[in-house]
Amino acid sequence: MIEMTLAEIAAHVGGKLFNAEDQAGRITISGVETDSRRDVRGMLFVCLRGENFDGHDFAKEVCSKGAVALLADHELPVEAPQIVVPDTLRGLGLLGQLNRRKSHARVVAVTGTCGKTTVKEMTAAILSRMGNTIATKGNFNNSVGVPLTLLTINSDTDYAVIELGASHPGDIAWTVEFAEPEAALINNVGGAHLEGFGGFDGVYRAKSEILDYVFSRDSGKGVVNADSEFYDRWKSDYAGKDLMGFGTENDHADVRAVAIRSQDNGTFAFRLITPQGEGDVRLALPGRHNVANALAAAALSGLAGAGVPDIIEGLEAQRPVPGRLFVEKLGTLTLIDDSYNASFNAVQASLDTLSLLPGYRVFVFGDMGELGQDAPELHARIGVYARGRVDEFWSIGDLAALSARSFGGRVFESREELLDAVRELVNRVPDLTIAAKGSHAMKMGDVADLIRSMKG
């Protein structure tokens, strides 16, 4: 965070100062905290309200532990300096915006139904070749995470890559206002959080809030998926705007891949075509869908000034992480740990990757979450999609059972029964390739952990 005074903060967030008297212009803040359990010494503590907590209840505690000042939604009975605003969540967002504005960093933003974390990491890897770069940690992409990420920008930060997530309409409109990106990317529009958006059209409109913002600025630039069914709609809705497309199928895309070919462990190589030039890329991340993710990152980083050599170097430096399509060779067994989460598109990508690998292929699947009324149909379609791609399809959960039945697979009623069957399968089949996939709540990582414990 860039150092700023309490008076400067109060002016930007539209807050009223208490217990500051004439000192607000001399009291400096070099850090912000929202969790009373962490080190708050020298910090401005933001009192957030949640379903099961109220940060205002910890005001006295954090002041005794060294917090310099408070951001609250009403005056509190403590002697520490306070800035009072109507809404501390918005106040936190404005704090992030102020820090972003005080820096010279070039800021780009990423959203999409799936793959946005991978694209964010790829983009950050590219831009880090050009200068000091910060990026959203993990998927800390909500109304709290985005401002806190913006507050990690320092005076020596050259680039910032901000991931914006959404579960409901208006979520992106809220966070993009604080991030103020010069360029923004929509990786795709797919079947995730459909319950909150009311269907695919709702997802399109919610994700497009990021374009509404960047194109409200004179020099704003946008990137969208040229292979998407919504590409023509984007081109129409934002006609005359600086909008570019990326894709593996659309020959008219501004950034595209040709000569795509598979490598070992389900990875791919291709010839990258960009407005800046061309070059050959060999990805270390498995899955053909990561070719599209790489194109997205190439397009976005190109708008921030990256050239082809930096783009290629950054893309090839990316390595898979456990839980996100992570391919492990464990003796004669191959494990695909894709257990972190699951959207419709991501499950298809996992099945595609499994289909490319040798051995007896088994897909172990748990329910996808937050799909609303479309959940039964989408789960059944997964089972159909898996036909011809895998040898066996196993499920746990009421919705995933629809997938297994449409495939002609095996349905498990309990986690214990599933894990016992996995244990027996690993012991029985020597040349086995097994993938574990499901929503975070389904804890499909238990399957991956069991296999590692047996073969590690």
Side-chain angles (χ1 to χ4, degrees), residues 113-137:
T113 297
C114 60
K116 54 185 174 291
T117 298
T118 299
V119 173
K120 176 255 302 181
E121 293 293 339
M122 287 178 164
T123 304
I126 294 166
L127 296 179
S128 66
R129 268 71 190 164
M130 302 161 56
N132 188 13
T133 302
I134 68 102
T136 302
K137 293 189 181 300

Side-chain angles (χ1 to χ4, degrees), residues 198 267 358:
T267 61

Side-chain angles (χ1 to χ4, degrees), residues 41 117 151 161 182 188 216 328 349:
R41 289 174 294 178
T117 298
L151 285 164
V161 186
E182 63 178 79
N188 46 47
S216 71
E328 297 177 74

Side-chain angles (χ1 to χ4, degrees), residues 95-351:
L95 265 170
Q97 181 190 71
L98 175 60
N99 194 59
R100 181 255 185 276
R101 288 184 179 180
K102 287 174 70 70
S103 78
H104 70 267
R106 302 187 66 175
V107 179
V108 296
V110 177
T111 193
T113 297
C114 60
K116 54 185 174 291
T117 298
T118 299
V119 173
K120 176 255 302 181
E121 293 293 339
M122 287 178 164
T123 304
I126 294 166
L127 296 179
S128 66
R129 268 71 190 164
M130 302 161 56
N132 188 13
T133 302
I134 68 102
T136 302
K137 293 189 181 300
N139 64 338
F140 205 34
N141 57 23
N142 60 14
S143 57
V144 175
V146 170
L148 291 179
T149 299
L150 294 170
L151 285 164
T152 64
I153 296 173
N154 290 312
S155 57
D156 63 348
T157 302
D158 299 305
Y159 301 93
V161 186
I162 310 299
E163 179 181 330
L164 306 183
S167 299
H168 301 88
D171 286 351
I172 289 174
W174 175 279
T175 51
V176 73
E177 174 193 353
F178 307 131
E180 297 184 337
E182 63 178 79
L185 176 140
I186 301 175
N187 199 39
N188 46 47
V189 171
H193 306 298
L194 291 178
E195 187 172 17
F197 294 120
F200 283 95
D201 182 70
V203 178
Y204 169 86
R205 287 184 280 109
K207 300 301 182 185
S208 297
E209 290 169 6
I210 201 170
L211 298 180
D212 294 337
Y213 175 83
V214 294
F215 291 142
S216 71
R217 299 163 68 91
D218 292 338
S219 58
K221 298 177 175 64
V223 183
V224 294
N225 191 327
D227 295 334
S228 169
E229 63 184 287
F230 294 102
Y231 183 58
D232 289 340
R233 183 172 170 183
W234 276 313
K235 297 288 282 186
S236 175
D237 287 350
Y238 300 99
K241 303 297 184 181
D242 194 350
L243 181 68
M244 66 188 304
F246 69 92
T248 61
E249 308 296 334
N250 190 331
D251 292 338
H252 301 291
D254 302 281
V255 176
R256 62 189 189 277
V258 297
I260 302 172
R261 54 202 183 275
S262 61
Q263 305 178 110
D264 295 337
N265 292 329
T267 61
F268 284 80
F270 60 94
R271 181 76 177 174
L272 173 68
I273 312 293
T274 79
Q276 297 97 320
E278 303 181 9
D280 292 316
V281 179
R282 298 176 64 88
L283 295 177
L285 295 179
R288 194 179 191 280
H289 66 289
N290 274 320
V291 175
N293 288 336
L295 297 179
L300 186 59
S301 58
L303 292 180
V308 171
D310 288 320
I311 291 172
I312 294 174
E313 186 177 339
L315 292 176
E316 293 187 338
Q318 286 300 105
R319 295 292 184 271
V321 296
R324 294 183 181 272
L325 206 61
F326 187 68
V327 180
E328 297 177 74
K329 192 70 176 175
L330 303 171
T332 61
L333 181 146
T334 301
L335 168 66
I336 302 177
D337 180 1
D338 201 13
S339 59
Y340 176 76
N341 218 334
S343 67
F344 181 77
N345 304 72
V347 175
Q348 289 183 313
S350 193
L351 285 163

Side-chain angles (χ1 to χ4, degrees), residues 27-29 55 61 86 96 101 111 154 166 180 196-198 205 207 277 287 302 361 403 411 419 425:
I27 298 174
T28 58
I29 301 294
E61 176 188 339
R101 288 184 179 180
T111 193
N154 290 312
E180 297 184 337
F197 294 120
R205 287 184 280 109
K207 300 301 182 185
R361 297 180 292 268
S403 309
V411 176
L419 294 177
L425 178 72

